[in-house]
Amino acid sequence: MCSVRLFNIVLILLAALSPATLATERPNVVIIFADDLGYGDLGCYGSPTIRTPHLDQMAAEGLRFTDFYSAAEVCTPSRAALLTGRYPIRSGMCAHRRVLFPNSKGGLPPKEVTIAEALREKGYATAHIGKWHLGIHEGSRPLDQGFDHSFGLPYSNDMDARSDLPKGSSGLANPPQDGWNVPLICDGKVIEQPADQTTLTRRYTAEAVAFIREHQSQPFFLYFAHTFPHVPLFASPAFQGKSRAGIYGDAVEELDASVGQVLDALRRERLAERTLVVFTSDNGPWLIMRDQGGSAGLLRDGKGSTWEGGMRVPGIAWMPGRIRPGVTNQLAGALDLFPTALALAGATAAPNVTIDGRDLSPLLFQSRSIPPRPFFYYRGDELFACRLGEWKAHFRTQTGYGQPQAETHDPPLLFHLGHDPSEKRNIAADHADVLAEIQQAVKAHQAGVEPGEPQLQ
Ligand code: MG
């Protein structure tokens, strides 16, 4: 009798946590996106020097992913993919030129549907705070892509450098504060130029907290894309000179405090149990910046490359009472955030659009595994590698920065990421069957890819 009652209680609890129930509640969605933060740069991912107590606590209360991937090896394509759930090759937001520059003619095409557009259709308030880097022309800007409110920089903080600035200044430990003419834009209007970069994290955070407070009773989507720890590195006076890891650590520790303030605001407004918060990074650490670049931990290479260090990044999901605390080895990534957010909001993607990500709700809310699927690593518009289960094959390799030509591998290199996460031992010769399976997956993927009109030229 007692066990039957217990069983019923368990069923009721499971129903309370089911994605369908969540959709009727229309939970809020917050994505906090760091820029160039490496896999090894947080305490909860093994950094011995950078202190990140708030992210560590978020991970302890939430689900920490060991195998979470950005959708691209550099900034612009990674962001395009996060907001659309599609490999950037489909939107044309990737190319040999790698990212958008202030003189680029293109941007995220208006026909691409972002999380903000899909959720706004469902009555969500939407805000973009921080770096954009998806286009400065009409049709591609935040307010054109589904956001009601936008506060931040149009592109990277090292762009539009002062003409007399020596090359390499962005990688200095003490970069000049007025070295980059990047504007701070609020709802389409320039409010400061150059933006005072020492105040950015603090001001972004204040905007995020205000947005949360103002939307206590309306569901919302907050896309909070930090400027740091992308170089040039700045921190506010309260964090300057505090970290063992130098200015890079200062910037990350301030970002960690910002995460703490956002989570505190959600708790204070009694929204924590109604808000999915995901923290991740747009790509791996920019290793050529040396002390001003981060660490990919035990992963190989960093930003710009399709070795694991370029694209495997921290990934933490938090929703107290809904997500059971733990660590998962399931493969997931930024591509999954679009379908996951839409599922939570009860929205559906347009039927004629290919979405590459998967809804993570079963994993997040019911501890169920996501069916295995291949993951494709692109450098620019070229597919360089593919992961299937624990196996990863490289068809081409090139270090993130500094190697002028890619190397082609025939047969491809093959690594077992379980046994060899640092990709040191190529075991292709012993596993022709695995390679054949991966090649099959690549063929099927490529047959379904229609490259979008190139946007980065
Ligand atoms: Mg980046």
Side-chain angles (χ1 to χ4, degrees):
M1 182 66 189
C2 192
S3 66
V4 169
R5 192 182 291 164
L6 186 67
F7 181 65
N8 285 339
I9 290 169
V10 169
L11 277 185
I12 290 163
L13 284 173
L14 280 177
L17 296 175
S18 80
T21 314
L22 279 167
T24 62
E25 287 177 21
R26 295 193 302 164
N28 309 307
V29 178
V30 175
I31 296 172
I32 306 178
F33 209 30
D35 194 345
D36 296 0
L37 180 81
Y39 188 78
D41 284 330
L42 304 180
C44 54
Y45 280 86
S47 172
T49 48
I50 303 176
R51 292 164 303 185
T52 54
H54 300 96
L55 281 156
D56 300 349
Q57 190 185 339
M58 179 184 175
E61 294 173 5
L63 189 62
R64 184 172 72 81
F65 290 81
T66 59
D67 294 51
F68 197 91
Y69 289 91
S70 67
E73 82 300 2
V74 287
C75 183
T76 294
S78 169
R79 283 151 209 267
L82 179 144
L83 285 178
T84 62
R86 290 151 57 74
Y87 282 110
I89 183 83
R90 299 189 196 276
S91 57
M93 291 292 280
C94 58
H96 188 66
R97 204 185 177 193
R98 315 206 82 172
V99 299
L100 286 168
F101 286 87
N103 66 358
S104 296
K105 303 261 186 305
L108 188 63
K111 67 170 190 231
E112 292 292 327
V113 177
T114 66
I115 299 175
E117 287 170 309
L119 267 55
R120 188 153 78 173
E121 282 276 296
K122 288 284 166 184
Y124 278 59
T126 56
H128 152 258
I129 293 170
K131 175 173 170 176
W132 181 242
H133 215 179
L134 292 172
I136 55 174
H137 305 293
E138 195 177 342
S140 302
R141 296 169 300 201
L143 302 188
D144 306 326
Q145 290 285 357
F147 290 99
D148 306 326
H149 174 55
S150 168
F151 179 91
L153 308 187
Y155 35 71
S156 298
N157 58 330
D158 65 340
M159 289 180 171
D160 200 1
R162 224 173 53 204
S163 57
D164 62 317
L165 209 63
K167 207 170 179 289
S169 296
S170 62
L172 295 173
N174 290 301
Q177 272 190 40
D178 57 352
W180 294 268
N181 201 32
V182 58
L184 178 62
I185 299 177
C186 181
D187 295 333
K189 290 192 186 63
V190 174
I191 57 168
E192 190 175 288
Q193 189 166 20
D196 178 352
Q197 298 206 33
T198 62
T199 63
L200 284 180
T201 300
R202 185 165 55 73
R203 284 196 282 175
Y204 290 169
T205 308
E207 281 283 324
V209 168
F211 177 77
I212 290 167
R213 202 171 47 225
E214 285 156 18
H215 294 89
Q216 211 271 347
S217 55
Q218 182 190 2
F220 59 79
F221 169 54
L222 170 60
Y223 171 55
F224 186 175
H226 279 277
T227 285
F228 301 115
H230 190 292
V231 296
L233 292 166
F234 295 96
S236 57
F239 291 87
Q240 279 168 23
K242 296 285 161 65
S243 173
R244 277 178 73 195
I247 179 66
Y248 184 88
D250 293 344
V252 174
E253 290 181 13
E254 183 164 13
L255 202 140
D256 174 73
S258 164
V259 171
Q261 287 181 50
V262 169
L263 301 189
D264 277 349
L266 292 169
R267 290 188 191 100
R268 208 165 44 236
E269 302 296 332
R270 302 185 182 281
L271 294 173
E273 274 126 53
R274 277 201 283 142
T275 306
L276 171 66
V277 183
V278 175
F279 176 90
T280 187
S281 177
D282 69 334
N283 47 249
W286 207 353
L287 299 177
I288 55 163
M289 297 299 160
R290 303 157 69 103
D291 280 1
Q292 275 64 254
S295 163
L298 84 177
L299 304 180
R300 184 164 170 177
D301 216 304
K303 172 178 176 173
S305 94
T306 50
W307 294 105
E308 287 293 285
M311 292 176 62
R312 206 198 290 192
V313 288
I316 305 168
W318 181 89
M319 194 173 184
R322 299 301 181 109
I323 293 177
R324 192 193 294 170
V327 178
T328 179
N329 304 134
Q330 295 265 308
L331 190 153
L335 282 169
D336 301 324
L337 300 181
F338 178 95
T340 304
L342 267 64
L344 287 182
T348 42
N352 53 344
V353 176
T354 305
I355 301 299
D356 294 298
R358 300 265 181 94
D359 174 15
L360 297 177
S361 301
L363 171 64
L364 295 177
F365 308 117
Q366 298 173 316
S367 302
R368 279 169 33 204
S369 51
I370 301 290
R373 53 189 159 151
F375 178 71
F376 303 100
Y377 304 68
Y378 281 84
R379 182 184 174 111
D381 52 8
E382 225 187 310
L383 194 153
F384 266 43
C386 172
R387 174 174 174 178
L388 193 60
E390 293 284 21
W391 299 95
K392 178 176 174 187
H394 293 264
F395 308 99
R396 307 249 286 156
T397 54
Q398 187 172 8
T399 193
Y401 293 83
Q403 180 188 338
Q405 293 291 330
E407 202 181 330
T408 301
H409 304 283
D410 188 16
L413 307 178
L414 185 72
F415 299 93
H416 186 284
L417 295 176
H419 302 164
D420 179 20
S422 305
E423 299 173 283
K424 285 178 180 156
R425 296 180 295 280
N426 173 25
I427 46 176
D430 305 329
H431 298 281
D433 53 331
V434 175
L435 275 180
E437 206 184 328
I438 292 178
Q439 273 160 326
Q440 201 54 44
V442 168
K443 225 168 157 188
H445 167 71
Q446 287 181 320
V449 170
E450 197 184 314
E453 194 187 325
Q455 297 295 322
L456 308 189
Q457 70 275 42

